[in-house]
Amino acid sequence: MFKLFKKSPKKPNLHQLDNLYGQTICKCPLMEQISYCKRLIESSEFHLSQSSKSDDTHHFQRLMEAAHIELKLLQAKRHG
């Protein structure tokens, strides 16, 4: 008997979700990348609190999750 495994959804990638980050910010110094991710998280939280459309909500949730993941990676580089 075959077991079907449900693939977990791929974690969002900030380089793909945010063109500015993917094309420009990722080439900046590490501290500027970290600052950008923090500001992106803050602005996404603000937009989520203001948004009533489900499409917008989903977009900002994915963007915020991707920024959190990227921020963790950048902070690990900084300390490692």
Side-chain angles (χ1 to χ4, degrees), residues 41-64:
I41 291 166
E42 290 172 2
S43 67
S44 295
E45 287 173 343
F46 174 78
H47 287 295
L48 280 170
S49 71
Q50 303 297 314
S51 180
S52 61
K53 295 181 185 176
S54 62
D55 290 342
D56 289 344
T57 300
H58 182 68
H59 169 74
F60 287 115
Q61 286 173 336
R62 290 190 64 206
L63 195 57
M64 195 165 59

Side-chain angles (χ1 to χ4, degrees), residues 28-36 78:
C28 291
L30 187 62
M31 289 308 295
E32 289 183 34
Q33 293 177 54
I34 290 172
S35 294
Y36 180 84
R78 183 175 151 215

